[in-house]
Amino acid sequence: MIDLDKYRKIYSQKRNYSVGVEEELMICSPNTGSLINKANEIMESVPDRERYSYELLLSEIETNTPVCRDASEAIVFLSNQRNELRKIGLKEGFKIGISGTHPKAMSLDQKFVSNDSYNWVSDQLRYYAKRNITFSTHVHVSVDNPDRAIKITNATRRWIPALLAISTNSPFFEGVNTGFKSSRSMQFGAFPRTNIPVKIDSFESYISLVNQLIKTKSIEKSRQIWWKIRPHLDYGTIEYRICDVQRSLKKTKMIVALTQALVHSYDQKVRINKNIEDMNYEILNDAFWKSTRFGFNSKLTDCYDGQILLLKDYVYKMLESIRSSLEEFGNLDVISSVEDILTNGTEADEQLSFEKAHGIDNLSKFLMDNVDYNY
């Protein structure tokens, strides 16, 4: 069971709006782009094990930044970590690849990391754990008060579909064109507790939920609540777990900057408008589905105010709502990145075009040979 006062204290000690970023990366054969099991070799070779970690599969590695002031500082660390892995790969015989899913890897070929945490996951999820060949970018933003963190979590659920729409990067799975822009969202969605959360009544009620799930052995720790947005109790942050990982560091900076701006902007909004946390949950889920599947000209309904609009206009609506916060952190430049995506497509669209012209075998190589290492 977890202690309410302990986690209140963790939040209260945080610097408001600082960020941390995690990238989940494929470990690939330099010759074919196929996944290979080199996570153990990487963890034995990295200079700072606090900045790297295992994921569920031995063909995946996660990097994580220290606490950063803003997106620009975080990108410096992410670039350094990608370069560190490139250096280790020359010695250990791998390259990193970046995509929300590997286009060809087969579920039953995957090997699990063996530790207490992931042994529990693999035992719980069995076959579906092996299907989790997925790779995401997670963004943490600190809030110095847990009650406000809950309110911001509730309010910013509104923009989950917009964040996913501009970051889709996983159209293929097990050699199949899935017809989805983000098949990662569908694969990981097979896990329990990966949904968009319903409105959380209070920090106390969230702690109560965690304790209830622990009591019934549904989870062993709060981190096994894998919602699209979750309060991260150990870090004193709100963690956004929405976006497919990006090869482009420019697009990664965009995701981090938008997320930080959302938290900053809605921290101000929830103080004066209690109703901003309320929205139509079914409509929100419908918009999320549209973002996984269709392009920017698809229609959806804003779950907060009921407006029917195109997905691209919904993204612009999000930008307008956080523009002053983007300016506050010196990140107005990321608006041009969003506009470029709305005009020219996401990395998912790039994958689809490349595969059509060159085939899926060459796509596997493309996803490791076209990784951004320097911003």
Side-chain angles (χ1 to χ4, degrees):
M1 305 295 280
I2 63 174
D3 180 73
L4 175 67
D5 292 336
K6 172 186 174 181
Y7 291 106
R8 278 196 171 279
K9 185 175 181 181
I10 289 174
Y11 274 92
S12 69
Q13 294 172 340
K14 291 299 173 180
R15 183 178 69 199
N16 242 7
Y17 317 125
S18 58
V19 298
V21 186
E22 302 164 3
E23 283 195 313
E24 297 169 347
L25 307 172
M26 303 186 293
I27 308 170
C28 301
S29 162
N31 298 319
T32 66
S34 300
L35 292 183
I36 54 176
N37 300 321
K38 293 276 188 174
N40 287 333
E41 289 84 346
I42 291 173
M43 291 303 293
E44 290 169 2
S45 302
V46 293
D48 184 358
R49 290 187 65 144
E50 288 188 5
R51 303 272 68 87
Y52 299 83
S53 61
Y54 287 106
E55 274 296 322
L56 179 60
L57 302 177
L58 283 167
S59 54
E60 180 173 355
I61 197 72
E62 180 183 282
T63 66
N64 51 85
T65 72
V67 177
C68 299
R69 293 185 306 274
D70 53 28
S72 294
E73 185 178 2
I75 289 300
V76 171
F77 283 103
L78 292 174
S79 173
N80 289 341
Q81 289 164 335
R82 289 185 182 191
N83 277 292
E84 189 66 52
L85 289 172
R86 178 163 60 174
K87 180 180 176 182
I88 295 169
L90 292 173
K91 175 185 174 185
E92 297 293 342
F94 70 86
K95 285 185 177 180
I96 61 168
I98 296 184
S99 173
T101 53
H102 190 279
K104 286 186 62 182
M106 303 302 291
S107 302
L108 294 180
D109 294 338
Q110 303 311 305
K111 304 296 183 185
F112 293 127
V113 168
S114 181
N115 62 31
D116 289 344
S117 179
Y118 289 125
N119 289 345
W120 182 88
V121 174
S122 62
D123 181 65
Q124 291 280 306
L125 277 298
R126 300 299 178 97
Y127 165 74
Y128 288 98
K130 288 197 173 188
R131 289 185 66 85
N132 188 40
I133 316 171
T134 64
F135 308 86
S136 182
T137 297
H138 297 170
V139 182
H140 293 260
V141 185
S142 65
V143 179
D144 63 6
N145 178 285
D147 301 303
R148 295 201 331 273
I150 293 296
K151 292 177 180 296
I152 297 163
T153 298
N154 288 332
T156 56
R157 291 177 303 156
R158 177 185 183 183
W159 303 115
I160 288 174
L163 288 173
L164 178 63
I166 58 176
S167 68
T168 57
N169 190 25
S170 52
F172 296 95
F173 189 76
E174 292 193 327
V176 175
N177 181 341
T178 65
F180 283 74
K181 297 296 185 74
S182 178
S183 67
R184 178 195 64 83
S185 297
M186 306 304 291
Q187 297 302 328
F188 189 56
F191 278 34
R193 302 175 300 279
T194 57
N195 53 290
I196 300 172
V198 298
K199 181 183 176 183
I200 307 167
D201 290 334
S202 64
F203 187 63
E204 287 79 6
S205 70
Y206 181 65
I207 296 295
S208 176
L209 171 65
V210 172
N211 280 329
Q212 189 65 33
L213 291 171
I214 291 173
K215 190 184 300 182
T216 58
K217 298 186 178 180
S218 298
I219 62 175
E220 293 185 324
K221 52 191 174 183
S222 63
R223 293 189 190 197
Q224 288 161 344
I225 295 175
W226 297 304
W227 293 338
K228 302 290 187 290
I229 303 177
R230 68 179 180 186
H232 198 297
L233 298 179
D234 294 326
Y235 294 164
T237 63
I238 307 170
E239 183 184 8
Y240 290 75
R241 305 163 48 83
I242 301 155
C243 298
D244 288 357
V245 68
Q246 307 289 296
R247 293 186 306 283
S248 162
L249 285 169
K250 184 177 182 180
K251 290 174 182 171
T252 304
K253 181 191 173 184
M254 172 196 73
I255 291 167
V256 179
L258 292 174
T259 306
Q260 184 185 40
L262 277 168
V263 173
H264 177 266
S265 176
Y266 276 81
D267 194 13
Q268 319 310 313
K269 291 178 171 68
V270 297
R271 296 174 197 239
I272 58 176
N273 184 355
K274 293 181 180 179
N275 294 330
I276 206 166
E277 299 175 60
D278 296 319
M279 56 199 69
N280 187 311
Y281 186 69
E282 290 301 326
I283 293 296
L284 173 59
N285 278 301
D286 181 67
F288 180 76
W289 147 254
K290 292 283 184 67
S291 294
T292 68
R293 172 70 177 88
F294 298 109
F296 292 116
N297 288 320
S298 60
K299 283 186 178 181
L300 53 78
T301 303
D302 185 331
C303 62
Y304 176 67
D305 63 16
Q307 181 186 11
I308 297 174
L309 69 174
L310 297 180
L311 178 52
K312 64 182 177 183
D313 294 325
Y314 176 65
V315 173
Y316 278 122
K317 192 173 181 179
M318 177 186 71
L319 288 178
E320 187 59 33
S321 77
I322 61 174
R323 186 181 183 88
S324 62
S325 292
L326 287 171
E327 185 173 13
E328 175 84 14
F329 292 102
N331 286 323
L332 284 175
D333 61 301
V334 305
I335 293 176
S336 65
S337 297
V338 177
E339 291 173 338
D340 179 69
I341 289 169
L342 294 175
T343 301
N344 298 309
T346 65
E347 291 193 3
D349 295 304
E350 187 179 10
Q351 285 200 46
L352 289 164
S353 296
F354 186 92
E355 189 274 338
K356 186 176 181 179
H358 304 287
I360 200 163
D361 289 336
N362 286 319
L363 176 62
S364 297
K365 298 176 185 177
F366 173 83
L367 296 175
M368 70 175 180
D369 291 337
N370 289 272
V371 170
D372 269 0
Y373 286 92
N374 299 300
Y375 180 71

